[in-house]
Amino acid sequence: MNRPAIVIAGPTASGKSGLALAIARAFNGTVINADSMQVYDVLRVVTARPSQAEEAQAPHRLYGVLSPSVNCSAAAWKDMAAAAMAESWAQGRLPVVVGGTGLYLRTLMHGISPVPAIPDEIRTQARALLAERGNAAFHALLAARDPVMAARLDPANSQRLARAWEVIEASGQSLAAWQALPMEGAVDAHWLTLSLAPPREALYANCDQRFALMMEHGALDEVRALLALGLDPALPAMKALGVPELAALLAGTLEPKQAVSAAQKATRNYAKRQLTWFRHQLEKPEVVSAQLSERIFDEIFAKVRHFLLTRFQ
């Protein structure tokens, strides 16, 4: 438990990556990605991955390491992150885990229910059945087979519906039964958790401005190249923020201004959900509620120094 690690959580466009890099540079750290879209080797601009120049300033891990044809689970990411943290500690470096995917962070710090691995064919069948029947009818099928999970799930949440179905199909037990078991696989570390929660108006403005900049720096070309791969539309990379709207623009079903506006709105809505999740799910974080500035950086660096000095007490 005396091995130190920092987690930087927060909504999209809150400045997490810049803060992680600053901490890594100041405290001999390794930046480890905890964003479920930035693990893929596509969409550097659309997913706001650190630039090559930024990556050169400190070691970065788990950025652009998977093909978009892969469906990366929280458990699979946790295993990669644990290996990256072990490498960092072995090199005498401070792991700085940064991202907005709450499930990834919770799995890393607290473990995950021991749900068995789902065979690819069962996962594919579940999503095909969902696409064929539609959400409402699929939810009814799930309710007949697993009423406990069906009662917990929003019929509009396709991903969670398919997950509940594939688990009972593969294991014969409800996902609820697996979730009731003790968590497993947490990384043993002494954590400092920083949760960024900037004022909403400023955050939403950042979301809008950033997507406009993405359009100027090749976002549409990135989505065009992704679509050319002919991937399953249900894959996570195909649903990254901005991809559905820019795909509609390329298909001619949205005008440019409509696509940008819709993508900005989707980003703001996602940021709102992230703020809510981190407010209720993170355990005893150090909350940074102001916009990042030189003064705020100095305050955060002081917290990090104190954390590193007192972890053995």
Side-chain angles (χ1 to χ4, degrees):
M1 287 294 292
N2 286 324
R3 297 180 303 177
I6 293 179
V7 162
I8 303 174
T12 188
S14 60
K16 298 186 301 297
S17 295
L19 176 59
L21 178 57
I23 291 175
R25 292 180 61 186
F27 296 95
N28 191 35
T30 298
V31 181
I32 300 172
N33 169 48
D35 182 296
S36 63
M37 294 298 109
Q38 293 181 354
V39 298
Y40 296 112
D41 61 2
V42 293
L43 303 175
R44 179 187 285 272
V45 172
V46 172
T47 64
R49 267 172 53 196
S51 68
Q52 292 179 335
E54 289 166 332
E55 290 184 350
Q57 296 178 43
H60 283 64
R61 298 291 183 267
L62 307 190
Y63 290 92
V65 295
L66 297 178
S67 163
S69 63
V70 174
N71 188 341
C72 183
S73 68
W77 173 83
K78 188 271 297 180
D79 289 343
M80 293 190 295
M85 292 177 70
E87 175 197 55
S88 180
W89 284 320
Q91 296 172 346
R93 306 186 71 93
L94 173 67
V96 183
V97 183
V98 57
T101 303
L103 180 59
Y104 279 15
L105 296 175
R106 186 170 64 188
T107 300
L108 183 71
M109 300 170 75
H110 303 293
I112 195 169
S113 301
V115 182
I118 307 299
D120 288 342
E121 59 270 22
I122 291 180
R123 178 171 285 115
T124 300
Q125 290 167 4
R127 280 149 182 77
L129 182 61
L130 175 59
E132 176 189 341
R133 298 295 183 92
N135 283 52
F138 188 87
H139 185 264
L141 289 174
L142 180 64
R145 188 165 186 186
D146 186 352
V148 175
M149 282 307 301
R152 295 181 183 182
L153 299 181
D154 180 353
N157 194 323
S158 300
Q159 185 168 343
R160 294 193 67 191
L161 288 176
R163 176 61 172 165
W165 182 275
E166 69 188 22
V167 168
I168 197 167
E169 179 75 11
S171 71
Q173 294 190 62
S174 169
L175 179 57
W178 292 108
Q179 291 175 340
L181 297 174
M183 299 287 194
E184 297 179 352
V187 170
D188 188 18
H190 183 55
W191 302 98
L192 171 63
T193 304
L194 303 172
S195 179
L196 305 190
R200 292 202 179 195
E201 287 188 7
L203 177 64
Y204 294 164
N206 288 346
C207 290
D208 290 350
Q209 293 166 7
R210 189 174 71 174
F211 196 82
L213 286 173
M214 288 176 177
M215 292 299 292
E216 295 177 10
H217 289 89
L220 193 60
D221 288 336
E222 285 191 341
V223 173
R224 182 182 289 111
L226 176 67
L227 296 176
L229 298 176
L231 300 174
D232 183 344
L235 286 166
M238 299 296 291
K239 296 182 285 187
L241 287 172
V243 169
E245 295 80 10
L246 296 186
L249 170 58
L250 291 169
T253 57
L254 284 179
E255 296 296 323
K257 287 185 178 180
Q258 292 175 316
V260 170
S261 178
Q264 289 171 327
K265 181 179 180 180
T267 304
R268 294 193 303 270
N269 289 342
Y270 181 61
K272 180 180 180 180
R273 293 194 300 272
Q274 287 177 299
L275 281 170
T276 300
W277 196 96
F278 289 125
R279 185 167 62 248
H280 295 294
Q281 298 293 331
L282 287 180
E283 183 175 328
K284 298 179 181 179
E286 295 276 356
V287 178
V288 181
S289 57
Q291 283 190 278
L292 296 178
S293 64
E294 185 174 344
R295 177 182 65 82
I296 298 299
F297 269 60
D298 288 343
E299 292 178 4
I300 292 172
F301 282 14
K303 292 180 185 293
V304 174
R305 291 190 192 96
H306 179 74
F307 162 73
L308 293 174
L309 288 171
T310 61
R311 72 181 191 275
F312 294 109
Q313 297 178 4

